[in-house]
Amino acid sequence: LCCPGERGWSVMQCPSTSDELEIVIEGNGCRCPTANHSTLVTFVNSVKTSSSASCLYSAKVLLAFGAHSLRSALVDRHGSVIFVRRTLLRIEREAQDGADDPWAAAASLSAFWVYERRASKVLQEYEDLHRRILDEEDKSAAKRFLVVRSSHGISNTQIEEVTGLLIAILTRRALLLDFSNDSYTGPRPIFEYDWPINVFLDGVAPYLDEHRDFVDMPRIQLEEYGKYGELLACQHWNDSMPQDIVLAQTLFGFPTAYLNKHHIDSIAETFGEFAFPILHRFLHRPNQAIERIVRSKHQELEASVCSVGLQIRWHHLRAYLQGWEKEQPERTVNKFLSCAFALCPPDHRTTLFVATDFKNVRDVLKSNLLYQSQLAAVAESRNLARSCGKSGLEPCSTTQSSTSSEGHAHLAVDGNKKMRWSEGPCTHTWDDMHGKGTGDPLWMLDLHSPRNISAIRLWNRADCCFERLQGVNVFAGISPIPTENFLCAADVEVPAAGDELIWCETTATYVFVVMPGENRILTICEVEVYESSQLSRSLSQGLVPRVIHLEPDEDIIVGDRIMDGGDHETAIADQKLLSLCDHIVVTRESTMGFVAHASVYKPFFQVSPYEDQCRFFPSSQSGLVQDAARIHDEWPWSAHKYSKLSCVEDANQVAMQF
């Protein structure tokens, strides 16, 4: 034990190779110099040393990137993982800030514990103040109130309520929430939380009934989201709100409030970088019913080696792309899967938790799961079509049944994937210059020796003649005669200006592409043949990532959307489960994704319809102001609105401190 007499880190070492190495983290984490475990990293190093000395296997302890848990792995001398266990940290937040440097992780954890202790004292004092303000007979506290009224969905509302709590604490007011408005998806969640304080406007001090025409908070003339922006970011809240009872309608802008130049010292001293996760967790405590929903799925997440939460707000994405139909979300859904498989293995070791407001998005994801897993598997595989010669890096031998227009067979393995003839010719079998070719034209690749392959990929032209690689049969095997080999796929339709992956786990010396029929022409822009691997063999056995999601109670139709229907328990549980995944991938400008990552101070990844690659963003709250494009162009902290505020230069200087 580190720091004897206190709760801290402890280790159960393994006396033999058959026992499991177990890492346990308890309590607040101790910072005791005399125990040599003053930081988490010294603890990790001690585990490595002591375990290596007592076991035949070495112990490797890692803080999982994007995770809220300590992951311990037992590995052999060759680096193969024998056993993996994850231990939840007492705090539900990201232990690392985007790097896989354990020193940075240790410092980050230590910093959180320092600020958590400070914030706990402040919150306890505020609970007492709040109670005394609401007690009519208690004259020791000034009767000052901040009433927050929202007309948003669940995640937006949570941001507003956290903003209100921060202002209420620093201005010594009682926070009251007006639940009389309905959000666009129905009544706001009330009973889904175990509120730590009495936040209900109805039923509190009777004299509030005489002040239903509350004084509105100071605002500037902006749309609904940004109307309090100048107050939140630039003004002294107490000086700007002298009234005892003020009302905020749509108090949307936590990061702006966080960077307020008048209050930043108090915020930074109490909360550090962790204001949102600390305040959100204090105010929004899911009730037992939601915890039960979360618990069952959480067990499934913990059973996996790696987990990714996919938060796909399809109706947001459709707003960007005119002409996209709700029945055709494949392109963007595939981006989410591609991003997920850049974070976790694309096989059965991974669990994908899907939070979406469209059932058909889940259906598309499941139907595309195997193909996207295969694409991810071959991305790091060796291309055997260019692994010949003495160096093992030269193109292998090719031939075809005939040649025309300088479209020689070797052009399919020249490494040029450009699909326009003017940018580099493709293969081309004989034609009579009137669109007629030969019977059953074919192309062949000779690997020179039997090789274990997993898949074959074909690229089609983008400028014309797409039909010349549509309807082809693909064979692979050890015979120089096509039909004597394994038929990998028949009637393959390679899309125009696109490519197609044909899965073919087999042993082959030869690979054939055959266009069956009379008067046919075969044109191929590029061919890649991928080497077999343990991952590809797992996928061949159907061992794909597991997809889990919560089942809504019903469906509702809003406009042209068929949505998961309306119970708040499912939505809040979705948000909670996203935060429990090792990684989060969200839709651009998704509020739920923001809350899920910020509530545990976790890095996240974003999918945008404008970009092919997912983007990584660290946990920094100040980044929400400095990089507006990654959340929502219309939010109050976005660049074009934030620049309208009178204190923009001062606020930007403040942001740089974080």
Side-chain angles (χ1 to χ4, degrees):
L1 286 175
C2 109
C3 296
E6 298 182 22
R7 300 182 68 195
W9 299 305
S10 63
V11 183
M12 294 176 60
Q13 298 180 11
C14 48
S16 69
T17 58
S18 61
D19 294 331
E20 299 172 350
L21 174 69
E22 184 175 2
I23 312 300
V24 180
I25 295 183
E26 299 174 331
N28 293 335
C30 55
R31 298 172 57 81
C32 178
T34 60
N36 296 323
H37 289 166
S38 58
T39 65
L40 184 60
V41 71
T42 58
F43 163 69
V44 169
N45 288 339
S46 71
V47 173
K48 289 182 180 179
T49 302
S50 61
S51 299
S52 298
S54 60
C55 307
L56 295 179
Y57 294 102
S58 64
K60 182 180 180 183
V61 182
L62 299 174
L63 284 170
F65 175 68
H68 61 284
S69 58
L70 183 68
R71 178 175 296 170
S72 59
L74 204 60
V75 297
D76 63 17
R77 295 186 181 90
H78 304 289
S80 300
V81 177
I82 300 170
F83 174 79
V84 173
R85 168 172 290 182
R86 280 183 297 184
T87 304
L88 290 181
L89 296 173
R90 184 182 63 82
I91 55 173
E92 293 176 351
R93 66 159 217 93
E94 163 56 21
Q96 286 183 256
D97 200 13
D100 86 8
D101 177 7
W103 295 97
S108 181
L109 276 174
S110 300
F112 181 89
W113 282 320
V114 169
Y115 287 112
E116 186 188 41
R117 286 193 290 270
R118 293 180 186 174
S120 296
K121 294 179 180 178
V122 171
L123 291 170
Q124 288 174 4
E125 293 172 358
Y126 179 72
E127 284 190 67
D128 179 66
L129 173 66
H130 192 281
R131 177 189 56 78
R132 290 189 288 113
I133 293 175
L134 297 187
D135 185 351
E136 289 186 274
E137 298 181 359
D138 191 329
K139 307 303 182 183
S140 64
K143 307 302 182 183
R144 292 166 58 82
F145 301 86
L146 172 61
V147 180
V148 175
R149 177 186 297 159
S150 176
S151 57
H152 286 96
I154 292 173
S155 298
N156 291 355
T157 299
Q158 291 177 354
I159 296 175
E160 296 177 60
E161 290 166 352
V162 169
T163 305
L165 177 61
L166 180 66
I167 295 173
I169 290 173
L170 294 181
T171 60
R172 298 187 65 78
R173 295 172 179 266
L175 174 66
L176 297 176
L177 305 179
D178 183 356
F179 295 109
S180 62
N181 283 5
D182 288 349
S183 71
Y184 68 94
T185 54
R188 291 172 62 195
I190 301 175
F191 302 109
E192 285 76 9
Y193 302 120
D194 290 332
W195 299 99
I197 54 179
N198 182 3
V199 296
F200 293 86
L201 175 63
D202 296 329
V204 299
Y207 60 80
L208 279 179
D209 293 335
E210 302 173 4
H211 297 82
R212 286 298 180 171
D213 294 329
F214 304 123
V215 176
D216 194 7
M217 288 177 61
R219 56 173 292 182
I220 55 178
Q221 296 303 315
L222 286 177
E223 317 65 310
E224 185 176 81
Y225 281 164
K227 62 185 179 181
Y228 300 122
E230 189 164 8
L231 170 71
L232 294 175
C234 309
Q235 299 178 19
H236 192 290
W237 298 334
N238 265 324
D239 294 344
S240 303
M241 300 184 294
Q243 300 84 1
D244 290 337
I245 306 173
V246 293
L247 171 68
Q249 302 188 67
T250 312
L251 184 63
F252 207 64
F254 174 81
T256 308
Y258 182 42
L259 295 172
N260 182 286
K261 63 178 182 178
H262 296 285
H263 300 275
I264 191 167
D265 290 340
S266 297
I267 297 171
E269 181 180 357
T270 303
F271 302 104
E273 305 173 48
F274 312 105
F276 192 94
I278 290 173
L279 294 175
H280 180 273
R281 188 175 51 173
F282 169 79
L283 194 60
H284 301 109
R285 304 174 183 176
N287 63 20
Q288 292 184 359
I290 293 176
E291 292 291 358
R292 282 194 296 270
I293 296 173
V294 170
R295 194 176 302 120
S296 61
K297 297 298 181 182
H298 187 205
Q299 292 172 351
E300 296 183 60
L301 293 177
E302 281 299 297
S304 62
V305 172
C306 192
S307 61
V308 185
L310 305 179
Q311 205 275 315
I312 308 176
R313 301 289 288 175
W314 180 242
H315 66 285
H316 284 171
L317 290 174
R318 288 188 62 220
Y320 286 102
L321 302 175
Q322 297 297 326
W324 276 38
E325 298 295 334
K326 66 177 184 296
E327 292 83 11
Q328 298 176 336
E330 287 87 353
R331 179 181 175 184
T332 298
V333 170
N334 288 344
K335 286 184 183 180
F336 276 88
L337 287 172
S338 176
C339 187
F341 296 148
L343 302 168
C344 290
D347 63 6
H348 61 288
R349 294 171 291 176
T350 293
T351 296
L352 304 177
F353 172 70
V354 183
T356 182
D357 53 358
F358 269 86
K359 279 190 170 182
N360 73 311
V361 168
R362 289 200 301 261
D363 294 339
V364 168
L365 187 144
K366 291 177 181 178
S367 65
N368 290 9
L369 181 61
L370 176 59
Y371 187 71
Q372 292 300 315
S373 298
Q374 292 170 342
L375 285 176
V378 302
E380 302 300 325
S381 296
R382 186 183 182 191
N383 177 17
L384 296 178
R386 294 178 58 81
S387 64
C388 292
K390 293 182 178 180
S391 66
L393 300 174
E394 299 175 14
C396 297
S397 302
T398 58
T399 187
Q400 58 189 10
S401 54
S402 61
T403 300
S404 178
S405 303
E406 301 297 320
H408 300 287
H410 69 84
L411 295 172
V413 293
D414 63 356
N416 182 0
K417 296 187 179 70
K418 293 180 180 179
M419 294 175 281
R420 296 183 181 277
W421 196 275
S422 60
E423 298 174 343
C426 306
T427 70
H428 196 307
T429 58
W430 183 87
D431 74 281
D432 64 356
M433 307 303 292
H434 298 288
K436 292 184 178 181
T438 61
D440 300 327
L442 64 82
W443 176 92
M444 184 191 78
L445 171 70
D446 184 355
L447 298 174
H448 303 299
S449 63
R451 312 290 287 272
N452 293 325
I453 70 171
S454 63
I456 301 157
R457 198 170 186 176
L458 308 177
W459 276 262
N460 201 350
R461 287 183 65 169
D463 45 7
C464 77
C465 318
F466 320 121
E467 72 281 357
R468 296 177 181 177
L469 196 54
Q470 295 179 341
V472 297
N473 298 332
V474 180
F475 301 87
I478 59 174
S479 172
I481 300 174
T483 54
E484 292 182 357
N485 294 302
F486 177 67
L487 176 61
C488 299
D491 199 24
V492 176
E493 299 282 334
V494 183
D499 61 90
E500 187 71 19
L501 184 71
I502 299 101
W503 203 252
C504 190
E505 191 79 42
T506 189
T507 299
T509 304
Y510 305 99
V511 174
F512 293 91
V513 180
V514 180
M515 174 70 77
E518 296 297 322
N519 296 318
R520 306 302 297 272
I521 303 169
L522 178 64
T523 294
I524 309 172
C525 287
E526 191 69 16
V527 176
E528 290 187 346
V529 178
Y530 301 107
E531 190 172 30
S532 179
S533 65
Q534 181 59 51
L535 177 58
S536 70
R537 290 188 288 274
S538 295
L539 293 178
S540 297
Q541 298 171 21
L543 301 178
V544 296
R546 185 175 186 182
V547 178
I548 63 174
H549 52 79
L550 298 179
E551 290 292 348
D553 291 344
E554 58 181 342
D555 294 338
I556 58 175
I557 298 177
V558 178
D560 61 353
R561 292 188 287 158
I562 302 174
M563 300 177 62
D564 289 346
D567 65 293
H568 289 307
E569 287 187 355
T570 299
I572 295 172
D574 268 344
Q575 188 184 86
K576 179 71 173 177
L577 283 163
L578 283 171
S579 71
L580 294 174
C581 292
D582 292 336
H583 310 277
I584 302 176
V585 182
V586 305
T587 309
R588 183 174 185 261
E589 43 87 293
S590 165
T591 326
M592 179 181 283
F594 162 71
V595 173
H597 95 86
S599 63
V600 290
Y601 200 72
K602 178 179 293 188
F604 73 109
F605 298 78
Q606 180 196 82
V607 170
S608 166
Y610 299 126
E611 300 171 350
D612 291 332
Q613 303 297 323
C614 55
R615 299 175 64 195
F616 166 74
F617 297 101
S619 309
S620 169
Q621 295 299 320
S622 60
L624 292 175
V625 177
Q626 297 177 66
D627 188 359
R630 72 186 172 107
I631 296 293
H632 195 308
D633 290 337
E634 298 302 320
W635 287 12
W637 53 80
S638 60
H640 70 279
K641 286 191 175 178
Y642 202 68
S643 62
K644 297 178 183 179
L645 304 179
S646 61
C647 66
V648 61
E649 293 183 2
D650 292 336
N652 282 342
Q653 292 175 3
V654 167
M656 293 176 66
Q657 298 177 16
F658 287 83

